[in-house]
Amino acid sequence: MGSGSVDLVSFDQGLVLMNELNYAPRPVFQSYSAYTPALSALNAEFYRSASAPKFVMWHQESIDARFPTTEDAQLLLELPRGYVTEIEEGGYLLLRRVREIPDHPPRRELLSERRAALGDLVEVPPLGRGPVWLQVIMRPSVLGSLRAALYKPAQMRIRVGRLGGEPHPSGACSPTWPATASS
């Protein structure tokens, strides 16, 4: 990495600091804090700017049993657009910037839309030409709204797995980046 700028997408920023790397953090530098659309958008915009780091140390993890891809979700869509994998070590990917990320968010194409009840199995359509983005909108029932007003909202859990197989251990599917680019 030499003197190239580095960001760490996770919550172990101490790795960058202890190794005295050229730390160039995104605005919301702890991934678990970028869980709202506005905060996630702030980080995605940073990666589309000229200030984006040359390298990214990335490790898929979350806190408080959150679904891992809810933390820095918009950034996860941007990274494959400008970075390639250099190396994987100890559960971390080292990504290298190979191109500027366009100043607009990635184009999304609606593959499917459906209503589902709690406990329903929802199949994701076959992959198109890029990553698949699953958006779940949950609306509470009248009883659920009353509970939220008087006490607190109920916790929702989502389980991800392969059809006919075991659930993914982390509860999420990991993003995939292109392999190392030849220079």
Side-chain angles (χ1 to χ4, degrees):
M1 290 189 286
S3 62
S5 56
V6 181
D7 188 15
L8 184 126
V9 178
S10 176
F11 53 78
D12 287 331
Q13 276 69 24
L15 291 172
V16 176
L17 299 171
M18 286 183 343
N19 288 292
E20 298 179 0
L21 300 174
N22 182 9
Y23 188 34
R26 59 206 179 283
V28 185
F29 64 93
Q30 296 275 349
S31 293
Y32 63 80
S33 295
Y35 60 90
T36 69
L39 294 174
S40 186
L42 195 61
N43 283 347
E45 288 169 21
F46 172 73
Y47 269 78
R48 288 191 299 264
S49 76
S51 301
K54 174 77 174 165
F55 295 96
V56 177
M57 293 172 60
W58 182 84
H59 182 66
Q60 180 74 51
E61 59 188 331
S62 64
I63 64 165
D64 300 334
R66 292 180 186 169
F67 196 67
T69 54
T70 61
E71 298 177 358
D72 252 337
Q74 293 180 53
L75 176 58
L76 295 179
L77 289 174
E78 297 298 342
L79 288 174
R81 298 173 67 201
Y83 292 80
V84 295
T85 303
E86 280 293 309
I87 191 170
E88 185 276 326
E89 185 178 321
Y92 283 83
L93 289 179
L94 177 63
L95 308 174
R96 178 175 52 88
R97 188 174 176 138
V98 292
R99 68 183 79 64
E100 285 189 24
I101 297 173
D103 196 27
H104 54 82
R107 185 172 96 37
R108 291 190 240 169
E109 175 185 343
L110 181 63
L111 299 176
S112 175
E113 184 174 3
R114 67 167 281 203
R115 287 181 174 258
L118 291 178
D120 282 359
L121 175 68
V122 177
E123 292 184 44
V124 176
L127 295 176
R129 289 174 286 200
V132 172
W133 176 274
L134 173 66
Q135 183 170 339
V136 178
I137 299 170
M138 297 181 195
R139 293 187 177 85
S141 64
V142 173
L143 186 59
S145 296
L146 181 61
R147 179 185 193 261
L150 297 175
Y151 178 54
K152 64 180 181 180
Q155 282 191 348
M156 302 299 297
R157 299 202 184 271
I158 193 167
R159 200 168 101 186
V160 174
R162 291 193 165 84
L163 203 55
E166 292 297 314
H168 192 280
S170 72
C173 298
S174 297
T176 303
W177 278 276
T180 302
S182 56
S183 317

